[in-house]
């Protein structure tokens, strides 16, 4: 059974999702094209950007590489 997470976890997921979206848009990619570039399922990528899903470490690495940023910069 999954325990409910504290509100700050949800806020941090949303902040990360906005950061990813802003970087993606700045680079001129659609969600669909970027999901394909980063080799992540489109729906999974949509949930990451929306802040409704906890991204896996491997997904974060793939997103950082596709955005040409370090993982540290992505998670700032």
């Amino acid at each position: 059974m999954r325990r409910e997470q504290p509100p700050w976890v949800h806020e941090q997921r949303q902040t990360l999702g906005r950061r990813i979206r802003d970087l993606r848009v700045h680079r001129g990619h659609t969600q669909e094209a970027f999901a394909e570039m980063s080799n992540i399922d489109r729906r999974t990528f949509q949930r990451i950007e929306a802040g409704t899903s906890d991204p896996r470490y491997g997904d974060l690495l793939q997103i950082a590489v596709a955005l040409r940023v370090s993982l540290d910069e992505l998670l700032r």
Side-chain angles (χ1 to χ4, degrees):
M1 179 181 284
R2 188 170 184 195
R3 292 182 302 152
E4 188 171 323
Q5 295 176 327
W8 63 267
V9 172
H10 179 70
E11 292 167 9
Q12 289 297 310
R13 269 198 317 258
Q14 288 187 321
T15 299
L16 175 61
R18 281 191 302 272
R19 173 122 176 95
I20 292 169
R21 183 192 64 230
D22 292 347
L23 289 167
R24 173 186 58 79
V25 168
H26 179 73
R27 302 238 182 338
H29 301 296
T30 64
Q31 274 189 339
E32 185 174 346
F34 189 79
E36 188 173 318
M37 276 176 52
S38 58
N39 199 32
I40 298 173
D41 177 74
R42 181 181 54 85
R43 287 188 177 183
T44 298
F45 185 72
Q46 288 173 331
R47 287 190 295 267
I48 290 170
E49 272 199 356
T52 59
S53 167
D54 286 323
R56 296 178 315 160
Y57 183 72
D59 292 341
L60 291 174
L61 289 173
Q62 289 172 230
I63 290 169
V65 167
L67 289 170
R68 298 182 311 262
V69 298
S70 68
L71 187 57
D72 287 345
E73 187 176 344
L74 182 66
L75 297 176
R76 246 187 247 171

